[in-house]
Amino acid sequence: MNIRYRIIYILITAFVLYSVLSSGFIYYSISQFSLTDFYKRLEIRAAVMAKVKLDDPNDVNSIKEVGQEYLEILPNQIEYIVPVNGEPAEDDSLINTLPENLVPDVVANGAGKARNGNTFYSGILYETQQNKRFVVVVSAENYFYTHHIAYLRNLLLASLIIGILLIVFLSFVISKSLIRPIKNVVTEVKKIGTENLHHRLGIPAIDDPLSDLRITFNDMLNRLETSFETQKNFISNASHELNTPLTSIIGEADLVLSKEREVEQYKKSLSKILNEAEKLDKKTKALLYLARTGFDGKSQRLEKVRIDQLILDVQENLLEFNHTFKISIDFSLLPENPEKLKIKGNEELLHLALSNIVINACKYSNNNQVYIALGATEDEVHIVIKDSGIGIPENELQYIYDPYFRASNAASYEGYGIGLPLSRNIVRIHNGSLQIKSELNKGTTVQINLPVGNYKL
């Protein structure tokens, strides 16, 4: 069943049930009250009549006057006096019209009541000053019950019908307003495809289940995008990341084999080849590990990583790779507690991500000074890489995470457009975030935020 109609049916059913139950309760309560009240009024009249007709007239004048003034005659009101001591009644034919069990009930219990259709009877057992006992009964028709209760019933039925029509209308309006945000989500989701998998659903300021749905869907897109991009670009990433150490190994081997050399020169070259091979091994394992694990991190091998030491290692390796790089590190904002610099992570992957960003900063600033600053808050470690290079055009910032995308002003620089997407994927794997601010011809600032690993190894 369509969810909109399901909402309508649920609202209508709930309203009808509530209305029927509440109307029934009101109708039953007022009906019972009207019966009880009417019996009480008859009983009062029976008591007044007993005083007036059975006691000394001189003692009951005042009662009679009160009865005449305040107790109006009810519709078809009839009064009955039945002797209990065996004395003859004033009108046996009238008494014979009383309900069969009424008089015995009054004698046995001191009071009694009965009903015959719309005629109600209420009687009391009265003892005179001469110790004579009488059953005094007053009967009348309950006008309130026959007319006012019927009016109340019709009023409740009319209200129920009007209420059902109103709730049907409101149900359509409410269901439409509830479904509209879901339709908006569906519309936004339909716009996301493999070519723009980095797009995300907007998160409203209101915290409600739909906001949770959007957040959950965005998290799912993060995992899908990372896995998709990682698998899709693995070969290109491997080529990009493995080319440098392979070039060094091949170049060094060609150089050492070009002519006869001293033993020390062979040892030096072999040592350099071994060092580059070890780097190649680490990067190969990191890339294979990244392709195998994707985004969810379930099979990640996490260890304690000191971010300050990681930055120093990146600086050392990059300066060995290219002596023209100028990398300056600012540790002035380090926290007093060194534990705030430790995170849970994969050191090889983090090294790869940070190296990519610093290499880009050096390359696109024509090897001018690149600054790396490190700081920490209570919950996160912050790494800032800033350069004064060519920057990124503002209208192209939205595409920088697209695989193979390169800014229009970067055509003269060597590159593949995959280093930055790979770095962002690695940061996401570590539950972090990567933010980029850039101005054309002024430079680019990259900030990496990683959660502090509050644990003990």
Side-chain angles (χ1 to χ4, degrees):
M1 182 185 295
N2 186 296
I3 187 172
R4 181 179 181 185
Y5 292 110
R6 188 183 304 170
I7 293 174
I8 293 172
Y9 292 150
I10 291 174
L11 289 175
I12 293 175
T13 302
F15 174 80
V16 170
L17 286 176
Y18 172 78
S19 299
V20 169
L21 291 175
S22 59
S23 298
F25 175 76
I26 292 172
Y27 181 79
Y28 175 78
S29 299
I30 294 180
S31 298
Q32 291 301 114
F33 173 78
S34 69
L35 293 177
T36 303
D37 178 70
F38 194 72
Y39 281 124
K40 193 67 178 176
R41 294 166 68 184
L42 291 176
E43 185 178 335
I44 293 173
R45 282 163 174 75
V48 171
M49 185 185 71
K51 284 284 186 182
V52 171
K53 292 189 175 184
L54 299 176
D55 276 341
D56 188 350
N58 295 326
D59 296 332
V60 297
N61 285 337
S62 58
I63 298 176
K64 185 176 181 180
E65 292 175 1
V66 170
Q68 292 175 345
E69 183 174 355
Y70 294 102
L71 299 178
E72 80 281 6
I73 299 299
L74 298 175
N76 295 325
Q77 179 176 323
I78 302 175
E79 300 158 349
Y80 308 84
I81 299 178
V82 182
V84 178
N85 298 331
E87 297 182 7
E90 295 181 357
D91 190 347
D92 288 336
S93 61
L94 183 62
I95 294 175
N96 291 333
T97 62
L98 288 172
E100 182 178 353
N101 296 324
L102 178 58
V103 173
D105 287 344
V106 174
V107 174
N109 302 313
K113 57 187 178 181
R115 177 181 177 183
N116 185 11
N118 193 41
T119 301
F120 294 79
Y121 301 83
S122 180
I124 61 171
L125 181 63
Y126 187 80
E127 187 173 348
T128 66
Q129 296 175 357
Q130 293 78 26
N131 296 325
K132 294 181 179 181
R133 296 195 304 165
F134 295 88
V135 173
V136 181
V137 179
V138 175
S139 68
E141 291 184 3
N142 191 345
Y143 179 85
F144 179 85
Y145 189 81
T146 56
H147 294 78
H148 293 73
I149 292 298
Y151 175 76
L152 174 64
R153 182 183 62 246
N154 296 335
L155 183 63
L156 290 174
L157 288 174
S159 300
L160 180 61
I161 294 173
I162 294 174
I164 291 175
L165 294 177
L166 180 61
I167 197 63
V168 169
F169 171 76
L170 292 178
S171 297
F172 275 96
V173 174
I174 293 173
S175 65
K176 188 176 181 180
S177 64
L178 290 176
I179 296 300
R180 186 183 299 112
I182 299 177
K183 286 187 175 180
N184 292 338
V185 171
V186 173
T187 302
E188 291 183 57
V189 171
K190 287 182 178 179
K191 296 178 181 178
I192 300 175
T194 56
E195 70 283 354
N196 61 346
L197 200 58
H198 60 277
H199 287 180
R200 295 294 178 267
L201 304 181
I203 307 299
I206 301 175
D207 185 13
D208 58 11
L210 282 176
S211 298
D212 294 338
L213 174 64
R214 288 173 174 266
I215 293 172
T216 302
F217 196 87
N218 283 346
D219 290 340
M220 183 190 69
L221 285 175
N222 288 337
R223 294 191 293 271
L224 286 176
E225 180 187 11
T226 303
S227 298
F228 181 81
E229 289 181 0
T230 300
Q231 298 296 334
K232 179 180 177 181
N233 303 311
F234 174 71
I235 295 177
S236 297
N237 290 340
S239 173
H240 175 64
E241 297 300 331
L242 304 181
N243 183 61
T244 300
L246 279 175
T247 301
S248 298
I249 290 172
I250 294 171
E252 190 66 25
D254 286 341
L255 178 64
V256 76
L257 293 174
S258 62
K259 64 178 182 178
E260 294 288 335
R261 299 182 182 277
E262 299 293 332
V263 174
E264 291 299 323
Q265 289 178 319
Y266 282 119
K267 288 183 178 180
K268 184 177 180 181
S269 294
L270 287 173
S271 177
K272 187 173 183 181
I273 289 173
L274 177 62
N275 184 48
E276 292 297 326
E278 288 176 347
K279 291 182 182 178
L280 180 62
D281 179 63
K282 287 184 178 180
K283 288 192 175 184
T284 301
K285 288 180 179 179
L287 286 170
L288 289 172
Y289 200 64
L290 176 64
R292 187 172 68 252
T293 58
F295 180 79
D296 61 8
K298 290 181 179 179
S299 59
Q300 294 279 349
R301 179 177 59 83
L302 301 180
E303 57 187 3
K304 179 172 64 177
V305 180
R306 279 280 302 250
I307 297 299
D308 53 346
Q309 185 60 50
L310 177 68
I311 292 175
L312 292 173
D313 291 342
V314 169
Q315 181 191 41
E316 180 182 354
N317 291 342
L318 292 183
L319 290 178
E320 288 181 4
F321 167 70
N322 191 327
H323 296 288
T324 63
F325 285 174
K326 298 176 183 179
I327 304 172
S328 176
I329 300 177
D330 181 5
F331 282 162
S332 62
L333 298 177
L334 292 184
E336 295 182 2
N337 183 3
E339 294 296 320
K340 297 298 181 185
L341 295 175
K342 297 177 182 178
I343 71 165
K344 286 182 180 179
N346 182 290
E347 186 171 3
E348 289 82 6
L349 292 180
L350 289 171
H351 191 287
L352 181 60
L354 191 57
S355 297
N356 279 340
I357 295 172
V358 176
I359 288 174
N360 283 346
C362 294
K363 179 170 61 176
Y364 293 118
S365 62
N366 298 311
N367 292 337
N368 287 326
Q369 194 75 39
V370 172
Y371 298 92
I372 304 177
L374 176 64
T377 60
E378 194 67 25
D379 302 316
E380 288 186 323
V381 175
H382 305 283
I383 307 170
V384 178
I385 301 99
K386 181 177 177 58
D387 66 64
S388 54
I390 62 174
I392 304 171
E394 183 177 358
N395 62 336
E396 297 180 7
L397 279 172
Q398 57 182 320
Y399 306 112
I400 57 176
Y401 297 120
D402 291 352
Y404 307 113
F405 172 78
R406 304 193 70 212
S408 56
N409 58 341
S412 59
Y413 297 86
E414 182 181 355
Y416 300 95
I418 55 178
L420 188 57
L422 176 61
S423 297
R424 186 184 67 158
N425 290 351
I426 294 173
V427 171
R428 282 182 171 178
I429 287 174
H430 291 80
N431 296 318
S433 61
L434 191 148
Q435 301 166 353
I436 294 181
K437 296 180 181 178
S438 185
E439 289 188 53
L440 191 61
N441 298 322
K442 291 187 178 181
T444 301
T445 300
V446 179
Q447 179 171 328
I448 300 173
N449 307 308
L450 296 168
V452 173
N454 295 320
Y455 65 101
K456 294 182 180 179
L457 291 176

